[in-house]
Amino acid sequence: MDNPLVLGGREFRSRLIVGTGKYASNEIMRDAIEASGAEIVTVAVRRVSLPGSGQSILDFVDPKRYTLLPNTAGCYTADEAVRTAYLAREAGLGDLVKLEVIGDARTLFPDVQGLLEATKTLAREGFTVLPYTNDDPVLARRLQDAGAAAVMPLGAPIGSGLGIRNPYNIKIILEGVTVPVIVDAGVGTASDAAVAMELGCDGVLMNTAIAGAKDPVPMATAMRLAVEAGRLAFKAGRIPKKLYATASSPLEGVPDWAP
Amino acid sequence: MQITVNGQAMEVEDGLSLEALLARLGVRREFTAVAVNREIAPKSAYPRTRLRDGDRLEIVHPMGGG
């Protein structure tokens, strides 16, 4: 039995965190989340439509069953992100926050200065801060020092599906911090999730790779299996890579067929 | 007096409470939060929070996101 993923003192068996954005319908979203086996589900914090419709995404994602992870997507300053986190907590979404402070609209890369500042503030205020960050080992350590409960480096730009573009940086991040490392963003298909876990990451967070798949529910199943397979392979310990062949069958006792 | 709610200008009577405004707008309370002039309004304070002319409100709830 694997040890659990621990975030802010809470234990989780699933190492896959899924988003709720961009689904064609709430029903498909609900079924995909179910198939993913995720226990943590991200949500955005946005204006209610007026007059109130009475509809809520939480009619499809039971907050008693799932741990909600509100994000600060769309925030471009530490101040906006901190206020959004407070709003989420006041709304009753809990004190976990996927902290995003965006620095550039085209790449959605983080503003690292704002990210560090907001991490410090929110950690001090009792939030369990999970910052979405670059695949930068130095920054990852700074975020840990600032009180982050995990670091969530991107594998590639959000929604790009390019996979883990710099596995070596992810490996260095893993060596440099003691908090969990969760690859957040960039996963395109199941093998990308497996790669992240084989590197030794503690979890993977994804949204578009499932929601944007032609058939999201089986893709969610594939992601669940990939995360489990990658985790198992990491724990089992892969063989070293070698340039030349090593025979699998004995070299002794080969029959002599010489005429 | 005039207030702005989620970017929409609204004409309301003087001294309206936040509680009364939310009821009038049909906003579901559960998993909803309100900021008045960028400050978070605690739920327990809705009835005694009197709105003032020019107030800017943000009423939010969770939506699909990654």
Side-chain angles (χ1 to χ4, degrees), chain A residues 19-21 42-48 50-59 63 71 79 83 86-87 90-93 98 100 205 207, chain B residues 5-8 10 25-35 37-44 46 58-66:
Chain A
T20 52
T42 66
V43 292
V45 177
R46 291 291 180 270
R47 287 171 165 175
V48 302
L50 295 173
S53 65
Q55 281 214 331
S56 170
I57 191 172
L58 299 185
D59 295 336
N71 68 30
D79 181 65
R83 286 176 195 274
Y86 272 111
L87 268 179
E90 186 57 29
L93 302 178
K98 176 187 159 180
E100 291 185 38
L205 191 159
N207 185 351
Chain B
V5 184
N6 288 358
Q8 296 177 35
M10 279 182 196
L25 293 173
V27 171
R28 193 160 142 169
R29 302 304 167 84
E30 208 188 11
F31 302 114
T32 302
V34 183
N37 302 325
R38 306 178 79 237
E39 297 301 326
I40 282 86
K43 278 191 171 150
S44 55
Y46 288 176
E58 293 290 343
I59 308 174
V60 302
H61 69 161
M63 278 190 63

Side-chain angles (χ1 to χ4, degrees), chain A residues 180-194:
Chain A
V181 176
I182 297 168
V183 162
D184 175 9
V187 166
T189 188
S191 52
D192 298 333

Side-chain angles (χ1 to χ4, degrees), chain A:
Chain A
M1 191 75 166
D2 195 5
N3 46 328
L5 170 64
V6 182
L7 296 171
R10 266 166 286 188
E11 296 189 350
F12 301 95
R13 304 251 48 115
S14 168
R15 291 174 178 274
L16 175 57
I17 301 173
V18 296
T20 52
K22 300 201 251 186
Y23 279 97
S25 76
N26 282 329
E27 287 76 12
I28 294 173
M29 175 192 74
R30 180 195 58 209
D31 295 350
I33 294 171
E34 170 93 45
S36 76
E39 295 167 285
I40 306 173
V41 172
T42 66
V43 292
V45 177
R46 291 291 180 270
R47 287 171 165 175
V48 302
S49 56
L50 295 173
S53 65
Q55 281 214 331
S56 170
I57 191 172
L58 299 185
D59 295 336
F60 294 86
V61 183
D62 183 359
K64 290 192 199 77
R65 177 171 169 195
Y66 296 103
T67 297
L68 297 176
L69 176 57
N71 68 30
T72 63
C75 293
Y76 279 78
T77 65
D79 181 65
E80 289 169 20
V82 167
R83 286 176 195 274
T84 302
Y86 272 111
L87 268 179
R89 185 157 79 174
E90 186 57 29
L93 302 178
D95 55 16
L96 242 67
V97 60
K98 176 187 159 180
L99 183 63
E100 291 185 38
V101 180
I102 301 300
D104 173 58
R106 210 154 73 98
T107 58
L108 297 178
F109 285 149
D111 177 310
V112 299
Q113 222 169 336
L115 188 66
L116 260 176
E117 192 186 322
T119 298
K120 257 182 224 155
T121 305
L122 290 171
R124 202 175 48 225
E125 297 297 324
F127 285 87
T128 297
V129 187
L130 313 178
Y132 152 74
T133 176
N134 286 319
D135 55 2
D136 175 350
V138 177
L139 180 62
R141 218 169 40 230
R142 295 262 158 84
L143 288 166
Q144 173 178 273
D145 294 345
V151 290
M152 304 208 295
L154 52 80
I158 294 174
S160 70
L162 289 171
I164 316 295
R165 293 332 299 152
N166 196 338
Y168 306 105
N169 269 30
I170 302 287
K171 261 212 120 44
I172 297 169
I173 289 173
L174 282 160
E175 284 176 14
V177 299
T178 54
V179 294
V181 176
I182 297 168
V183 162
D184 175 9
V187 166
T189 188
S191 52
D192 298 333
V195 165
M197 296 309 292
E198 286 170 10
L199 287 169
C201 289
D202 298 278
V204 182
L205 191 159
M206 64 180 74
N207 185 351
T208 308
I210 297 175
K214 206 183 281 176
D215 203 346
V217 180
M219 184 57 92
T221 304
M223 292 301 185
R224 173 172 60 78
L225 295 171
V227 167
E228 284 173 13
R231 177 69 181 171
L232 275 172
F234 168 70
K235 298 280 277 189
R238 62 153 298 147
I239 60 161
K241 292 182 184 181
K242 284 185 288 190
L243 196 53
Y244 295 103
T246 314
S248 305
S249 308
L251 300 174
E252 310 300 317
V254 178
D256 185 358
W257 298 109

